[in-house]
Amino acid sequence: MASIESEANRNHYAVIAANAGKLTSPQAIIDHNDIHWTALTGEPRGVDFIEIDAGGMPAMWVVPKGADEQRVLFYAHGGGFIGGSIYTHRKLVGHLAKAVGCRALLYDYPLAHQAKHPAQLEAAISAWNWLVDQGFDPGRIVIAGDSCGAVLTYGVLQRLRAQGRPLPVATLVISGWFDMALTAASYQTNREKDPAFAKEAVDWLAANFIGDADRRDPEVSPLYADLSGFPPVFLQAGADETLVDESRMFAERARQAGVETRLDVFDGMLHSFQMMAGRAPEANEAIARFAAWVRPRLGLPAAGEKTREKAA
């Protein structure tokens, strides 16, 4: 049974649905997210947030006290390309980085009203290039994102592979948006459970992002990408969200391509429920699972153990 605390996420999406059509400008949507979405997440303690310019895009170093300085979580925030920012997601990424024990680079990108695809992917690549230019080894970087951040995460991986460049060591995805062709059966089976992401709404988000471009272009729909050779991936999704089958389909595609894949689906949860980190037990458990899975891939010890390679 879902916790009482987790109802905040469901209520958040119910409010979004109730306000559909009332937020009539891009800035109104941005402001709504800044006020209401940000409030879902508890403030992580012992984490510093340092705003920087990363390859020409606003970004933020998220630095937990005592974090390993050589390892990095490279994070793309969600928001359907209509909202979300380094500010709405800084606390979530703070909880995740703190649990993993490394710093994170959380980067921004143009929203769809500012520029259409591929401007967002170009921004992600610029931030990645900046990070590597600082001397960070891709073999000590985890690439991650939530919702539409999955588009950028796998867009970066495809661009790096095409250029013959080193890939990050692992991938984390929260409620990934993998298929702009909207073929998932859960758009129907979860229609009554998910108050915000009806198929019609997600169809509008896709059109707003790419216009009349091919919905199955692998750079906008990772479900149709060649996933061979990509790093291990841990996917998480809520059982009640309409996008959940996209994670299931993507997990199957990744396994078929030989990618080490884990998918955890959380009963009673909606889209990006991890945003309730620090407040809801389900979100805290999800982040703990991410950390336990990714720490050994980064060469970090299990939580509570001391590292022998701190300065390596």
Side-chain angles (χ1 to χ4, degrees):
M1 179 180 293
S3 69
I4 293 175
E5 294 87 349
S6 73
E7 287 301 306
N9 193 45
R10 189 174 296 275
N11 293 339
H12 168 71
Y13 286 124
V15 169
I16 288 177
N19 280 291
K22 298 178 183 177
L23 302 176
T24 56
S25 72
Q27 191 60 50
I29 295 171
I30 292 168
D31 291 345
H32 183 89
N33 279 322
D34 283 350
I35 294 168
H36 300 285
W37 205 11
T38 305
L40 291 178
T41 319
E43 190 72 51
R45 298 185 179 184
V47 180
D48 291 329
F49 301 95
I50 306 164
E51 294 185 48
I52 60 168
D53 179 292
M57 290 306 301
M60 186 179 289
W61 276 122
V62 179
V63 187
K65 301 296 185 184
D68 186 283
E69 296 182 357
Q70 305 299 319
R71 283 123 172 123
V72 179
L73 178 71
F74 182 73
Y75 197 95
H77 67 79
F81 298 115
I82 62 171
S85 70
I86 58 176
Y87 306 108
T88 59
H89 280 63
R90 68 169 183 84
K91 291 185 288 182
L92 166 63
V93 176
H95 283 285
L96 183 54
K98 184 176 178 180
V100 173
C102 70
R103 65 170 62 192
L105 182 67
L106 171 61
Y107 64 92
D108 247 332
Y109 49 82
L111 298 179
H113 73 281
Q114 298 168 317
K116 304 300 182 189
H117 170 78
Q120 294 75 16
L121 179 53
E122 298 294 347
I125 289 291
S126 293
W128 174 270
N129 290 341
W130 179 88
L131 179 61
V132 174
D133 287 346
Q134 304 310 299
F136 290 96
D137 178 0
R140 293 179 176 178
I141 300 173
V142 173
I143 190 168
D146 65 281
S147 192
C148 72
V151 176
L152 304 183
T153 294
Y154 276 92
V156 168
L157 289 174
Q158 291 176 76
R159 292 281 183 97
L160 294 177
R161 182 181 59 191
Q163 296 167 9
R165 298 172 61 187
L167 301 179
V169 70
T171 310
L172 305 176
V173 180
I174 293 171
S175 293
W177 189 14
F178 293 111
D179 179 19
M180 293 197 184
L182 311 184
T183 63
S186 50
Y187 281 109
Q188 295 302 322
T189 57
N190 279 348
R191 185 179 181 91
E192 300 304 317
K193 297 178 181 179
D194 189 333
F197 293 98
K199 189 173 184 178
E200 297 81 2
V202 182
D203 180 71
W204 180 86
L205 289 172
N208 187 55
F209 174 49
I210 62 171
D212 295 329
D214 182 3
R215 295 285 186 98
R216 297 178 189 243
D217 177 348
E219 284 199 347
V220 299
S221 289
L223 182 65
Y224 306 103
D226 173 9
L227 304 177
S228 59
F230 282 166
V233 59
F234 186 172
L235 309 159
Q236 293 184 357
D240 287 358
E241 62 175 302
T242 57
L243 273 73
V244 64
D245 282 351
E246 293 198 10
S247 289
R248 292 178 174 131
M249 292 189 296
F250 186 84
E252 181 58 27
R253 288 266 313 191
R255 292 185 184 111
Q256 290 175 356
V259 176
E260 180 189 344
T261 304
R262 174 173 170 179
L263 168 63
D264 286 6
V265 177
F266 290 75
D267 290 343
M269 294 294 102
L270 287 173
H271 193 70
S272 300
F273 69 90
Q274 294 84 349
M275 283 291 283
M276 295 182 295
R279 299 195 190 280
E282 294 89 347
N284 294 339
E285 171 64 19
I287 286 172
R289 292 187 196 182
F290 270 149
W293 182 86
V294 83
R295 285 177 68 90
R297 289 164 173 80
L298 279 170
L300 293 170
E305 295 181 3
K306 293 183 179 180
T307 181
R308 299 177 181 176
E309 195 198 352
K310 183 72 175 178

